[in-house]
Every structure is written in structure tokens, then in C-alpha cells.
Amino acid sequence: MVRIDNIVILTGAGVSAESGVPTFRGPDGLWEGHRVEDVATPEAFARNPTLVQRFYDARRAALAAVNPNPAHLALARLDAGWRGNLLLVTQNVDDLHERGGSRRLLHMHGELKRALCKACGAAPEWAGDLSGDPACPRCGAAGRLRPDIVWFGEMPYHMAAIEAAIDACDLFVSIGTSGAVYPAAGFVGWARAAGAKTLEINLDPSAGTALFDKARHGPAGALVPQWVDELLG
Ligand code: OAD
């Protein structure tokens, strides 16, 4: 049996689904009401900043009504209890992993609770609305703040750190993601190339399910706590 020291976990919208945060590609998917090109590209923001700011303002406000579920809590328990290296990489822009207690965490697609100043590059924490052209708290420029979200066509955050962690990992686990969006969908291939064991935990088989050594299909809120219990013994 291979000894496991270094773990990388990738999460997607499915880990927050049981908290009541809509996923992107399900029947109630978030993109249903809006075409993705209308809200999640730099071009959309240039064309209609008010629509895009309101869309993300509503999602930011909706975070107040949701809470971490047993999957977030179990991942935080693993983070606290695991003595080896562990990195939780999330594609989610909600704050449920940190509210659940995870610390070794990177948001590769940005965070709803941050703004990004196009004038000075600051990324201040942001709890309220961005529509109405508030001023940047660092440089004072008005009307230059956008959501700190990685839109289609933009480079995800923390890629060097993520790549290094995957290269060194013994176990790669993907939870609640459809495997539709790159580069995250390619992480399982990187992990395999690095010699890691790979596990998928998802409601149903993802687009890349055949690439994983093992798969467990069902709700994350039930399967993740079970898997964490097994790992922590
Ligand atoms: P998707 O909506 O594409 O996929 C969510 C996955 O979670 C699906 O495979 C579902 O079957 C699964 N799922 C749903 N409920 C679940 C549950 N209770 N337990 C376990 N799995 C469940 O969301 P992502 O893969 O996260 O990018 O989407 C990737 C990226 O596409 C997002 O980060 C977003 C979007 O464009 C940006 O915002 C930049």
C-alpha cells in the first residue's frame, strides 16, 4: 500500500450545492437565467458593467443566507487533523470553505467577497454592493472596482502553487465538479503524471470520470465526511 503524505483536493460547485448555492450546469444552473457571455467575460463587463455588477452583487448578498454543509466541515476537519501537506483548491467563489474552517485553501477562480481595482490592482475584502461605483479603498479611484472573479478568457489564480502541489502529491481528490472547465479539469491528468492516486467524489460521473483510479458517486454531504473519517482513521 502506498503511503500518503501529500494531498491535493479540488472542489467545485457540487460541494456547495447542499448549502443551497446553485451549481452552474445543473437543471437549476446559475447560467440558466443569464447567458455566460452576458455576465462572466471581460467583454460583457465592458459592454454592460451595471448588469454584471448587479449579477455578482446578488450572488454576494445571497451568501448571507447560506451556511457550510457537512462536506465543508469534514474538509476543514481533515485540514486540521492531517499532519502531511494538504492543499484545498476551490473553483468556488463562495466563502463556505473558510467559514467551515479550512485554512490551507486557494481560490483559483477568485472570491465574491473581494473586489479588484482596475486602477491600482488592489483586491480589498468586499461585503456590500459594487454597483453604484464605490471608490477603491486603496487608491481612491471611483468606478474602477470589479468583482475579483476570474472570468472566461482570464488566467486562474495561484497556478504556480497549484502545479507545484499537484506535482508533489500522493493523492488527488476531485469533489463536486463537472470537469467541464480547464485548467481545473486537467488537474487529474497532472496528478496521474506525477504518480498520484486519484479519486473522484461527485453526484454523478463527471466528464473526466474515466481518468480517476476510483470514483464514489453520491451527495458530497454524505460521502465526504465518510472519506475523511477513513483517511483520519
Ligand atoms: P458545475 O455546475 O459544472 O458542476 C457541478 C458538479 O457537481 C456536477 O458534476 C454535479 O453532478 C455535481 N453535484 C451537484 N450536486 C452535488 C452534490 N450534492 N454532491 C456532489 N456533487 C454534486 O460546476 P463546476 O464544475 O464547479 O467558473 O464549474 C466549474 C466552473 O465553471 C466554475 O468555477 C465557474 C463556471 O464557469 C467561474 O466562475 C470562473
Side-chain angles (χ1 to χ4, degrees), residues 188 192 198 200 205-215 217:
V188 60
R192 286 169 68 99
T198 55
E200 166 171 280
S206 73
T209 195
L211 296 170
F212 289 84
D213 298 318
K214 293 193 173 148
H217 294 135

Side-chain angles (χ1 to χ4, degrees), residues 103-122:
R103 294 287 169 266
R104 291 180 276 182
L105 166 70
L106 292 177
H107 279 273
M108 67 177 288
H109 288 166
E111 299 171 57
L112 278 169
K113 291 270 192 82
R114 281 187 194 280
L116 177 64
C117 179
K118 292 193 292 165
C120 75

